[in-house]
Amino acid sequence: MPLRAPIFDVGEPPRHVHFITSGMASTVTTLRGGDAVEVAISGREGFPEALHVLGPQTGEIRSFMQVEGTALRMDFKRFVDEFHRNEVLRNLVLRYVQSESLVMAQLSACNRLHEVEERLARWLLMVSDRIESTRMQLTQEFLAEMIGARRSTVTIAAGTLQRSGIIEYSRGKIAILDRTSLTDAACECYPVADRLFTTLYL
C-alpha cells in the first residue's frame, strides 16, 4: 500500500475492506472549492471502510494511504455478509465505529477551538501511535490539509516545535524527539483520543 494509494472514493461503495497491518490511512472530506480536511485515521486498530459496513450511504468522503504500509483485504460484500452473520465480529466492528465516531466528535471541536500548534502536536501524536514510530514523512502542504489550516500557519507551528527541540522537521521528514514535551504541547483532545485508542478492544 504505497503513499496516496486509494482505498475508496467519494460516492462509490468500497470494493474491499482493508485491514491495515502497517502504515496509516486517512479519510477526508473534500469541499466544492477543492479544500480537504481529514475526518478519520486508521492504523492497525481498524479499517477505513468501517462506516460503509453499517449501511448503503456513501457520503462525501474518500480514503487513501497517508503513510505507506501494508494491509490485508477482503471482498467488501463478503465481509458485510460475515458482519451480519457473526455476532462476535459485529460487536468488534461496532465498537470500532463507536470509538471513531467519538474521536471525530472530539476533533470537530478541536479544529474549531484550538490553536494550530496544539492541533499539530495532537495530530503527530495520534499518527505516531498508529504507525508505532516516531518518524514519518509528511509535507507541509499535506499537514495543512490534514489539520485544516493554511500551509504558512503550519510552517510557523512546526517551526515553533522544532526550535523548542520537540520535533525535527526537514524536507517533509518529521522526527519526534521529545514525546513528553509534544504531549504537553498538544491540546486537551489528545488524552481523550488516546484513551479511546488504547481502550478500544479492552
Side-chain angles (χ1 to χ4, degrees), residues 95 99 192-202:
R95 182 179 294 186
S99 177
V192 176
D194 182 51
R195 175 180 56 81
L196 291 166
F197 177 72
T198 55
T199 62
L200 176 55
Y201 297 117
L202 296 181

Side-chain angles (χ1 to χ4, degrees), residues 121-194:
R122 181 263 302 161
W123 189 82
L124 291 174
L125 288 164
M126 291 178 66
V127 173
S128 178
D129 291 340
R130 282 155 181 79
I131 66 173
E132 299 180 326
S133 175
T134 58
R135 296 182 179 274
M136 55 202 82
Q137 189 160 350
L138 301 160
T139 65
Q140 288 181 349
E141 182 179 3
F142 202 46
L143 283 171
E145 184 176 291
M146 293 305 100
I147 65 173
R150 295 181 181 276
R151 180 177 174 178
S152 57
T153 307
V154 170
T155 300
I156 295 170
T160 300
L161 294 175
Q162 181 161 250
R163 286 190 298 275
S164 300
I166 297 173
I167 67 170
E168 186 177 72
Y169 187 39
S170 177
R171 298 181 180 179
K173 294 181 179 179
I174 298 177
I176 298 173
L177 304 178
D178 186 342
R179 185 180 173 91
T180 300
S181 294
L182 188 62
T183 302
D184 290 341
C187 59
E188 65 192 86
C189 298
Y190 175 66
V192 176
D194 182 51

